[in-house]
């Protein structure tokens, strides 16, 4: 039998240690070019269930074999995992282990995928959570532009460019922190942001001159702060902190939260949405302006049209609520004796 090339593990069989089988799975996924975030999440999911599987099987974790991946053992492991984790974490972890077991079935190390016998939570139907209030985005932008956010080293040009980018492009927080100076491309009037999204999927987001001007004004202020007027390199991070270092996810969350508070709109933000509220606001506003689900999917970088459709559905519900508030409807309800619509005032 010819040995496998260097770096490629031997064929996985039932007697293979689970740690070796996992290494083989990692090698098999290399052509997919998973992002570092995806790889880290997959490893956390494996590490979260593996010791619980060892307890369910009654064997030390280091001694577990592929043959120990049974329906009964995995059911017990996931039952214990579910006791301390949220639905979304359980669902993601289930998908990770399901993918691993699919690989082992393809390797003929398992006769079938045992995850088919392990229950998983149904995906919760989540509604968009944009900023509440019709004029809230405008209030936020005006406050940030006026330098209302308190800071040891105020930088209103950076804050405004950052909030505006999130609000009118709909990009995710990780996509924003991953932007480079050279990712604003195109000729004046036809500019766009080159965005690297989930799964390393690339997309171009149209940028109107108003946003491009704000980003350039921020760039000039940045050059004056750190490099004596010289522009930063094209491969440098687009958004940085007050020390010139790449902006981190935690810094971004703190910055956005403080902008909400200084603008007096923190009570108009859905709990838990924070930076994502700006993405949802973008989506609901483009739907209100007539965008289709397909256009929303392309702008937001969604993998599924179903995800984008929820913004269209939410927009339709808001239109119905607005129509129901017509004063003539109130008169009709008095004539017919019908109750007012839920949430409407009369």
């Amino acid at each position: 039998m010819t040995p496998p090339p260097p770096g490629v593990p031997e064929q996985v069989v039932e007697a293979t240690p689970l740690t070796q089988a996992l290494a083989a799975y990692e090698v098999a996924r290399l052509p997919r070019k998973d992002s570092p975030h995806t790889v880290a999440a997959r490893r956390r999911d494996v590490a979260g269930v593996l010791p619980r599987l060892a307890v369910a099987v009654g064997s030390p974790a280091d001694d577990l074999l592929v043959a120990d991946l049974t329906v009964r053992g995995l059911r017990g492991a996931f039952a214990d995992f579910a006791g301390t984790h949220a639905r979304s974490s359980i669902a993601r972890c289930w998908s990770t282990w399901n993918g691993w077991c699919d690989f082992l079935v393809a390797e003929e190390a398992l006769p079938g995928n045992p995850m088919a016998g392990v229950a998983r939570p149904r995906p919760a139907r989540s509604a968009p959570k944009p900023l509440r209030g019709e004029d809230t985005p405008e209030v936020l932008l005006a406050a940030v532009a006026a330098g209302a956010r308190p800071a040891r080293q105020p930088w209103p040009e950076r804050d405004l460019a950052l909030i505006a980018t999130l609000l009118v492009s709909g990009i995710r927080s990780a996509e924003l922190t991953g932007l480079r100076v050279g990712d604003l491309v195109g000729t004046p009037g036809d500019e766009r942001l080159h965005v690297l999204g989930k799964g390393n999927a690339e997309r171009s987001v149209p940028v109107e001159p108003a946003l491009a001007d704000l980003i350039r004004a921020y760039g000039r202020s940045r050059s004056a702060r750190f490099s004596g007027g010289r522009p930063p390199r094209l491969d440098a991070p687009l958004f940085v902190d007050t020390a010139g270092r790449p902006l981190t996810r935690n810094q971004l969350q703190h910055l956005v939260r403080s902008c909400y508070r200084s603008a007096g709109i923190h009570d108009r933000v859905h709990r838990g949405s924070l930076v994502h509220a700006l993405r949802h606001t973008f989506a609901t506003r483009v739907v209100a302006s007539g965008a289709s689900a397909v256009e929303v999917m392309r702008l937001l970088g969604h993998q599924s049209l179903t995800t984008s459709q929820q913004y269209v559905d939410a927009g339709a519900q808001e239109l119905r609520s607005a129509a129901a508030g017509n004063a003539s409807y109130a008169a009709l309800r008095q004539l017919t004796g019908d109750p007012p619509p839920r949430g409407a005032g009369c």
Side-chain angles (χ1 to χ4, degrees), residues 65-126:
L65 305 176
V66 170
D68 292 319
L69 293 175
T70 63
V71 172
R72 176 174 294 183
L74 286 166
R75 277 179 181 170
F78 269 84
D80 187 58
F81 183 83
T84 55
H85 291 78
R87 291 166 58 96
S88 58
S89 298
I90 301 166
R92 189 197 64 240
C93 190
W94 188 97
S95 295
T96 295
W97 280 75
N98 184 60
W100 186 15
C101 289
D102 274 343
F103 163 76
L104 294 174
V105 171
E107 285 283 292
E108 299 181 353
L110 288 176
N113 189 336
M115 292 302 297
V118 180
R120 60 172 171 168
R122 293 181 178 179
R125 184 176 177 82
S126 58

Side-chain angles (χ1 to χ4, degrees), residues 238-259:
L238 178 57
F239 290 104
V240 296
D241 63 17
T242 54
R245 297 169 301 213
L247 199 69
T248 67
R249 179 175 178 270
N250 287 340
Q251 287 175 322
L252 173 61
Q253 290 181 326
H254 172 75
L255 192 155
V256 171
R257 183 184 291 109
S258 60
C259 284

Side-chain angles (χ1 to χ4, degrees), residues 321-334:
S321 298
N326 188 328
S328 297
Y329 267 120
L332 286 178
R333 284 191 287 270
Q334 288 180 355

